[in-house]
Amino acid sequence: MLPSLLALAAAVPAVLGCARHDNYRPLPHFGKRQITTNPGRTVTDWAYEASYNWGRINETYRECQIGTQQSPIALSLNQGLSQRHLPSFDGYTNSSGSQNVTGNFYNWGYGPAFTLHHEDGVWDTLPSMTFDNETVYLRGWHIHSPADHTVGGDRSKAELHYVHVDEEGHERAVLAIRLDPSVSSSPFFAQLPPMIGFNETEVQMGVVLNPALALEGVDNFQEFWTYKGSLTSPPCHEGIRFFVARNILFTNVEEMQALLGASTYSARAEQEVWRHEINV
Ligand SMILES: [Zn+2]
């Protein structure tokens, strides 16, 4: 049935961003697993396992092949850390002034994900980040495994992406946090409900969580690399600034195993550094 599958793939709009980020509706039964008609993953004609090939699959994926600021890239302390584009956060808070948000917890088909509730088309009520006099708003997060970015050749087990959009909902910036196992429980992961499997993309759960806990786990991005990058999946659009925290967010072994158990391979091959202007 390959032809009909291909036809289906062609009929489905391309996945936007690393994960699909629709305006998820608040669920009628908050805190319960619910089956919805809004799956976290659509049928796609590309695969992470063959990311070198995206440019020839579909002509709308041309940027994956010819782009000059493609993500992810290899990072290293030899590049130094950024002294510019310092992000400041508003509406995130924590260290007890905790600010919770509501949203839908789900699996984007490759790992855990979360989308914040907001009014249709209204983004500026969400937690925000400001850099270079531009303010962007937290639309949601998702996790890749293994990590997209290596540092000094080392690849973490997973990477958390906080996706920020401009006032019109276009993706503008990603906070990237590398994840590895250690000894202590992570307050960010401890607040999550039980994981939803990667085959359960139609399941969603309304939850309350504190997004600041992940930022606190990496010293609130006081040390970071930044560069001009792209979506890490087709159509690989550019114009997205990445901030990669120097620190790693550590979980305990059980939290990492639960995360990996709900994940599938979702790291794009690293791209050659070209016009990324790392830390510039
Ligand atoms: Zn991503």
Side-chain angles (χ1 to χ4, degrees), residues 18 142 144 161:
C18 312
H142 58 270
H144 295 260
H161 283 172

Side-chain angles (χ1 to χ4, degrees), residues 17-19 21 48 108 141-144 148 159-163 171 174-176 230-233 242 266:
C18 312
H21 308 283
Y48 279 111
W108 66 295
W141 56 257
H142 58 270
I143 296 177
H144 295 260
D148 267 326
E159 187 170 310
L160 172 63
H161 283 172
Y162 270 31
V163 178
E171 285 161 321
V174 173
L175 294 178
S230 74
L231 304 181
T232 63
S233 60
F242 268 81
S266 48

Side-chain angles (χ1 to χ4, degrees), residues 63 67-73 75 82 84-85 131-132 134 149 172-174 224-232 236-244 268 271-280:
E63 211 166 350
T68 61
Q69 296 168 339
Q70 291 290 293
S71 294
I73 54 173
L75 297 170
S82 182
R84 306 187 57 198
H85 314 288
F131 61 94
D132 303 340
E134 179 175 359
H149 293 89
R172 286 290 295 139
V174 173
F224 61 95
W225 294 265
T226 185
Y227 70 89
K228 294 178 173 178
S230 74
L231 304 181
T232 63
C236 309
H237 286 330
E238 298 182 344
I240 295 172
R241 177 167 287 283
F242 268 81
F243 296 84
V244 181
R268 183 187 187 190
Q271 306 294 299
E272 293 295 315
V273 174
W274 192 354
R275 289 177 167 170
H276 296 78
E277 300 182 11
I278 301 167
N279 299 337
V280 172

Side-chain angles (χ1 to χ4, degrees), residues 168-186:
E168 290 164 351
H170 301 128
E171 285 161 321
R172 286 290 295 139
V174 173
L175 294 178
I177 298 175
R178 295 173 295 139
L179 307 172
D180 270 319
S182 184
V183 198
S184 303
S185 169
S186 150

Side-chain angles (χ1 to χ4, degrees), residues 54-276:
W54 289 346
R56 65 190 287 183
I57 291 173
N58 186 320
E59 63 183 29
T60 65
Y61 301 167
R62 235 170 106 71
E63 211 166 350
C64 305
Q65 187 73 20
I66 67 168
T68 61
Q69 296 168 339
Q70 291 290 293
S71 294
I73 54 173
L75 297 170
S76 143
L77 280 173
N78 295 333
Q79 295 155 334
L81 293 161
S82 182
Q83 305 300 316
R84 306 187 57 198
H85 314 288
L86 305 178
S88 62
F89 301 99
D90 190 23
Y92 270 96
T93 55
N94 203 27
S95 234
S96 10
S98 89
Q99 175 139 6
N100 291 326
V101 299
T102 63
N104 286 13
F105 182 64
Y106 64 103
N107 194 303
W108 66 295
Y110 301 95
F114 176 81
T115 296
L116 282 78
H117 291 162
H118 61 92
E119 265 182 59
D120 274 354
V122 180
W123 305 93
D124 60 9
T125 54
L126 298 171
S128 68
M129 162 171 79
T130 299
F131 61 94
D132 303 340
N133 295 318
E134 179 175 359
T135 299
V136 292
Y137 306 92
L138 177 65
R139 181 165 68 184
W141 56 257
H142 58 270
I143 296 177
H144 295 260
S145 72
D148 267 326
H149 293 89
T150 59
V151 172
D154 183 63
R155 190 179 300 281
S156 291
K157 290 214 177 309
E159 187 170 310
L160 172 63
H161 283 172
Y162 270 31
V163 178
H164 291 73
V165 298
D166 64 18
E167 283 184 1
E168 290 164 351
H170 301 128
E171 285 161 321
R172 286 290 295 139
V174 173
L175 294 178
I177 298 175
R178 295 173 295 139
L179 307 172
D180 270 319
S182 184
V183 198
S184 303
S185 169
S186 150
F188 177 76
F189 281 92
Q191 70 179 337
L192 301 182
M195 292 289 162
I196 295 168
F198 55 78
N199 283 327
E200 302 179 288
T201 55
E202 73 292 351
V203 174
Q204 290 190 43
M205 185 182 280
V207 299
V208 178
L209 58 76
N210 183 347
L213 293 175
L215 303 192
E216 277 200 331
V218 293
D219 208 15
N220 292 303
F221 275 79
Q222 291 189 44
E223 293 188 309
F224 61 95
W225 294 265
T226 185
Y227 70 89
K228 294 178 173 178
S230 74
L231 304 181
T232 63
S233 60
C236 309
H237 286 330
E238 298 182 344
I240 295 172
R241 177 167 287 283
F242 268 81
F243 296 84
V244 181
R246 176 186 183 173
N247 289 343
I248 291 174
L249 179 66
F250 290 106
T251 69
N252 65 23
V253 171
E254 292 74 21
E255 288 162 345
M256 181 56 69
Q257 287 184 316
L259 164 60
L260 296 178
S263 299
T264 54
Y265 184 79
S266 48
R268 183 187 187 190
E270 280 176 329
Q271 306 294 299
E272 293 295 315
V273 174
W274 192 354
R275 289 177 167 170
H276 296 78

